Amino acid sequence: MRPAILNPLFSPIASLPGVGPKTGKQFDRLLERGAAGARLIDILFHLPHATIDRRERPKISEAPRDQVVLLEARVVEHRPPSGRYAKGPYRVLVEDDTGDLQLVFFHSNVDWIQKSLPVGEVRWISGRLELYEGHLQMTHPDKVLDATGLARLPPVEPVYGLTEGLYQRNVARAAQEALKRLPALPEWRDPVDLKLRASPNFAAALARLHGPEAPADIAPDAPARIRLAFDELLASQLALMMVRARMRDERGRGTRGDGVIAGKILTGLPFSPTNAQTAALAEIRSDMADDKRMLRLLQGDVGSGKTLVALLAMATAVEAGRQAALMAPTEILARQHYERLGPLGATAGLRMALLTGRDTAAKRRRTLAELAAGDIDILIGTHALFQEEVRFADLALAVVDEQHRFGVHQRLALGEKGAAVDILVMTATPIPRTLVLTYFGDMDVSTLREKPAGRQPIDTRAMPLERIGDLIEAVKRATAAGAQVYWVCPLVAENEELDLSAAHDRHADLQRIFGDRVGLVHGQMKGADKDAAMEAFSRGETSILVATTVIEVGVDVPNATIMVIEHAERFGLAQLHQLRGRVGRGSGKSSCLLLYRAPLGEVAAARLAIMRETEDGFRIAEEDLKLRGEGEVLGARQSGTPGFRLADLAVHADLLPRAREEAANILRDDPELRSERGAALRALLYLFEREEAARLLRAG
Ligand code: ADP
Ligand code: MG
């Protein structure tokens, strides 16, 4: 059980003053807690990614772009939307002695704008300054203050990632209130080491990060950040080592197939497996046959054919008279796996079923009954597979697709669905060697480097947004010849409302040109609508699919040969690579157009250059690691490392060996964490939600 001292941190965020049911929901979304609900710990770990230094008061002409600034300016004129653009934004022109800029408000409260920005008066205006079509502008300033308001402003203010409907002040207040409830926790770190490094304690570190006194206080290498990043790495390394030790202890069961079902599947295929696929499968089969428990990572770039390897491995389990499960991170992917693998499996006599959160109660009951009776050989689904009531007759192999979206504890939960289940983790994100250990502990790794034969290189080009007219002409020609096009628009939590309206606008633009052969899919659509849009594209009923990054992972439409990525400068390399991997899946010639808004920053230019240069996912992953520490990347919140909330391996990689060493020392001296420090370390495991590992202790 969770130590009682931590309970306040896991109480719902709605229990904080100033957070009502409505803002509570917005926090759930911001902190990616969904229906489970955000807790105090989530807001405490939502660190500011920047600060606004109010001590700086740049003039308009000298103010830095693309960051939040505080400007002193005179209100010149109000420009309400008019004429046929009546639904357009409300603009206000302001100036100082050096220049002017427009404040831009979408769907805003006009009374408020008019009251806060009286013409002729001086105001202090804070927000992100951008250059848009040659003019300086600030969309939705976060503050418009008069002299009294200015006097009340703290000199250095944290800036948080936001989501629709939340403002900086909501997040800042929630963080401050949560800090007040932070209990005094026992120290889990080595006191000598802390003293040596002049490290603050856990509470002091959090307080400093949410209440910086200077911009440097929140830097990735600031003492407070290092303290917390190390705590998180220590928790994860401890958990991985404990899980691994336990798995090693537990004997597996040798699962040997006779190759009959796999043979039938292969006969039904129009191609033969690549050497890399054959080698990976041999490694997996040998692990399965062994009576040790398999814990293997199958790594391969997008399109390298991991799914076939997984299917053949699952066939091996069924040949041995046992069952297999395949778990995907999203509904769309689970369905797609089911639809693709179903026919292949059926010809070989495999009985497959799909289990998702969206099944009707009756269908679900039937599936669960058949599963328990052993009438289903392979179950495919989302994390619905974790649930208590899902019981297998005899589960031999669990395949987890796109692993790093799941945590260690979830992987364990699946492993516990059968006696010594073998686990195969598939990831499409090539992970540099140095990081494999971090995510997966000492897992065995199979790699698919070679791509199936017949793939043509993807023609990748970068072009400025101004040339969109040429691009549309090219798309016209291509779609007339039967090609299909993905058109990706970015969506960032920080400015989701605007981005979403940009995606809608692009969809409308393209519909004006291409009619109803243009579909739209984004993360905020209902599941059924999303599926419908994806399916229409998949069946070729739509030629162009405008999408936010929901199509990022795994989706497979071989006829789609063109990938347009708008605002490519806002995406990280890994994401660009994943997106490009959506095309080039069939035998047709494919292209990827990276549309960017000029001028390009140095890092963004480097990213686009690498994309043009190579399609090697491993090389891209290495470059990504080098570049990611610098400059903000879409979707990278305070931490760019999936699975971690505070540690960012792009900047904290050097802490990792230290954390591993410390974890190993701790477990060597006190494997059951029974000492006083051990008790504190248990609290640490719960704090970072590595509690499945802590639970193993109790059992042991
Ligand atoms: P991944 O999951 O690694 O991204 P997939 O398993 O989805 O890749 O495979 C991508 C495409 O390549 C699929 O359409 C699949 O049928 C096809 N494919 C898989 N293996 C081979 C092969 N050996 N030769 C030709 N095509 C293959
Ligand atoms: Mg896949």
Side-chain angles (χ1 to χ4, degrees):
M1 261 210 347
R2 178 162 60 218
I5 190 169
L6 296 180
N7 286 345
L9 293 175
F10 288 86
S11 55
I13 201 160
S15 67
L16 291 175
V19 182
K22 188 158 156 264
T23 23
K25 286 227 165 50
Q26 288 156 343
F27 274 112
D28 297 345
R29 213 152 82 76
L30 172 68
L31 303 170
E32 299 184 335
R33 291 285 303 165
R39 305 145 308 174
L40 268 56
I41 189 78
D42 301 311
I43 191 70
L44 288 173
F45 285 172
H46 185 65
L47 300 180
H49 59 76
T51 53
I52 308 168
D53 192 345
R54 310 284 188 195
R55 299 169 302 189
E56 299 273 336
R57 302 280 164 72
K59 291 287 181 193
I60 289 175
S61 65
E62 290 156 9
R65 287 170 201 167
D66 298 318
Q67 51 177 286
V68 176
V69 292
L70 178 65
L71 300 170
E72 178 180 351
R74 211 165 27 254
V75 181
V76 180
E77 155 182 302
H78 282 234
R79 297 170 174 171
S82 67
R84 67 194 187 91
Y85 294 111
K87 282 188 347 209
Y90 191 109
R91 298 168 197 274
V92 178
L93 185 71
V94 302
E95 65 173 15
D96 67 9
D97 313 334
T98 67
D100 59 20
L101 75 110
Q102 289 199 29
L103 310 177
V104 182
F105 301 88
F106 290 89
H107 326 286
S108 281
N109 179 343
V110 172
D111 288 345
W112 176 86
I113 299 173
Q114 287 171 346
K115 218 172 74 207
S116 328
L117 290 158
V119 172
E121 302 275 316
V122 168
R123 287 293 179 268
W124 287 266
I125 300 156
S126 162
R128 184 178 290 269
L129 192 61
E130 295 171 318
L131 191 64
Y132 184 71
E133 290 173 354
H135 299 286
L136 279 178
Q137 72 170 33
M138 189 185 281
T139 306
H140 290 255
D142 62 74
K143 286 193 174 61
V144 175
L145 302 168
D146 55 16
T148 331
L150 180 73
R152 279 200 298 259
L153 215 55
V156 175
E157 201 186 332
V159 181
Y160 295 96
L162 296 177
T163 189
E164 192 179 332
L166 278 182
Y167 296 92
Q168 290 297 341
R169 60 175 184 281
N170 304 120
V171 180
R173 170 145 190 231
Q176 290 307 321
E177 294 292 345
L179 277 174
K180 287 188 202 155
R181 302 209 191 163
L182 188 63
L185 298 172
E187 184 55 74
W188 46 77
R189 296 275 293 277
D190 172 19
V192 179
D193 184 48
L194 288 180
K195 205 156 167 221
L196 213 64
R197 295 174 196 279
S199 243
N201 69 30
F202 180 76
L206 278 175
R208 175 53 61 92
L209 288 163
H210 289 288
E213 284 167 14
D217 284 350
I218 68 153
D221 58 354
R225 223 10 236 295
I226 298 269
R227 153 88 217 206
L228 297 181
F230 190 89
D231 283 348
E232 183 170 39
L233 290 171
L234 181 62
S236 93
Q237 293 305 311
L238 271 177
L240 282 170
M241 283 179 198
M242 287 159 65
V243 168
R244 185 66 180 177
R246 157 75 170 256
M247 289 211 162
R248 248 194 236 111
D249 289 352
E250 245 178 50
R251 296 202 74 68
R253 245 171 74 185
T255 305
R256 273 175 217 88
D258 55 15
V260 171
I261 298 177
K264 284 187 190 153
I265 292 172
L266 287 173
T267 316
L269 287 178
F271 50 75
S272 34
T274 61
N275 293 335
Q277 285 171 317
T278 307
L281 187 64
E283 288 167 344
I284 294 165
R285 280 190 176 142
S286 134
D287 280 3
M288 288 174 70
D290 197 295
D291 64 3
K292 280 202 314 283
R293 207 165 164 176
M294 172 169 80
L295 195 55
R296 182 171 285 277
L297 179 68
L298 176 60
Q299 238 199 137
D301 217 339
V302 199
S304 58
K306 295 181 295 295
T307 319
L308 177 64
V309 176
L311 178 65
L312 294 171
M314 293 193 289
T316 303
V318 180
E319 287 163 6
R322 306 182 66 191
Q323 292 167 302
L326 170 60
M327 187 174 67
T330 66
E331 199 83 33
I332 291 181
L333 282 171
R335 208 166 284 282
Q336 188 171 294
H337 274 313
Y338 179 68
E339 279 159 13
R340 270 167 203 279
L341 298 182
L344 283 178
T347 55
L350 287 173
R351 297 163 299 177
M352 295 186 168
L354 179 69
L355 185 74
T356 75
R358 254 190 265 145
D359 296 333
T360 62
K363 165 140 193 296
R364 184 183 166 77
R365 256 199 313 279
R366 201 167 55 238
T367 306
L368 292 182
E370 288 175 2
L371 188 70
D375 295 335
I376 290 172
D377 298 318
I378 295 178
L379 184 65
I380 296 176
T382 54
H383 40 265
L385 299 190
F386 290 136
Q387 287 152 353
E388 258 332 293
E389 60 283 15
V390 179
R391 294 208 184 81
F392 291 81
D394 184 13
L395 181 64
L397 172 67
V399 180
V400 184
D401 192 7
E402 314 292 357
Q403 164 67 23
H404 65 249
R405 304 215 165 190
F406 301 108
V408 181
H409 50 293
Q410 287 166 307
R411 194 192 308 157
L412 266 181
L414 243 194
E416 270 158 19
K417 294 256 169 237
V421 177
D422 284 326
I423 296 180
L424 179 67
V425 172
M426 299 200 288
T427 175
T429 314
I431 300 170
R433 276 252 149 243
T434 48
L435 292 191
V436 168
L437 275 178
T438 317
Y439 289 128
F440 303 105
D442 47 351
M443 261 182 137
D444 300 306
V445 181
S446 299
T447 302
L448 301 181
R449 264 224 162 133
E450 174 194 6
K451 291 221 177 145
R455 296 277 158 81
Q456 297 189 35
I458 299 167
D459 180 19
T460 302
R461 296 176 195 206
M463 54 167 83
L465 201 56
E466 288 79 57
R467 284 185 48 207
I468 194 166
D470 300 344
L471 175 61
I472 285 183
E473 289 308 312
V475 167
K476 272 186 196 161
R477 288 191 295 275
T479 51
Q484 283 180 284
V485 182
Y486 288 110
W487 193 299
V488 176
C489 298
L491 190 64
V492 269
E494 242 179 88
N495 216 341
E496 210 163 280
E497 199 171 342
L498 277 183
D499 284 337
L500 202 56
S501 76
H504 278 289
D505 288 351
R506 180 61 69 213
H507 177 238
D509 287 349
L510 292 172
Q511 262 188 337
R512 239 169 274 134
I513 302 168
F514 295 93
D516 56 7
R517 297 188 53 80
V518 188
L520 174 67
V521 58
H522 60 74
Q524 285 183 42
M525 279 162 68
K526 284 207 202 72
D529 296 343
K530 240 193 279 190
D531 288 355
M534 288 302 308
E535 271 156 31
F537 187 66
S538 187
R539 282 197 301 263
E541 287 159 20
T542 48
S543 309
I544 303 178
L545 184 65
V546 177
T548 58
T549 37
V550 288
I551 59 153
E552 186 186 341
V553 174
V555 174
D556 193 6
V557 180
N559 193 45
T561 51
I562 300 178
M563 168 64 65
V564 178
I565 304 176
E566 241 185 270
H567 283 293
E569 79 280 1
R570 287 167 59 185
F571 289 88
L573 260 182
Q575 259 180 320
L576 290 173
H577 177 65
Q578 286 281 337
L579 286 168
R580 179 171 58 183
R582 300 299 119 222
V583 297
R585 311 205 121 211
S587 49
K589 188 148 180 50
S590 294
S591 43
C592 175
L593 289 314
L594 305 168
L595 275 181
Y596 63 86
R597 196 162 98 187
L600 271 181
E602 205 173 305
V603 177
R607 283 198 295 259
L608 300 190
I610 291 161
M611 286 296 291
R612 288 198 306 269
E613 221 168 88
T614 182
E615 280 181 54
D616 176 354
F618 287 88
R619 157 107 202 272
I620 289 176
E622 306 276 354
E623 298 287 346
D624 189 33
L625 201 60
K626 277 191 225 147
L627 289 175
R628 223 184 24 198
E630 312 161 44
E632 252 178 75
V633 161
L634 181 83
R637 297 159 187 257
Q638 76 276 20
S639 145
T641 305
F644 290 86
R645 309 173 77 176
L646 305 175
D648 180 350
L649 289 166
V651 285
H652 299 131
D654 57 323
L655 298 181
L656 189 63
R658 259 177 59 207
R660 284 179 68 75
E661 194 186 311
E662 183 148 351
N665 288 341
I666 289 167
L667 291 177
R668 192 194 53 228
D669 297 344
D670 184 13
E672 299 295 322
L673 302 184
R674 295 200 189 282
S675 64
E676 197 182 324
R677 185 176 175 209
L681 285 160
R682 285 174 187 241
L684 174 72
L685 289 171
Y686 278 95
L687 199 56
F688 284 98
E689 295 176 77
R690 263 67 174 183
E691 57 233 46
E692 295 289 339
R695 277 220 322 253
L696 292 180
L697 284 177
R698 204 170 29 121

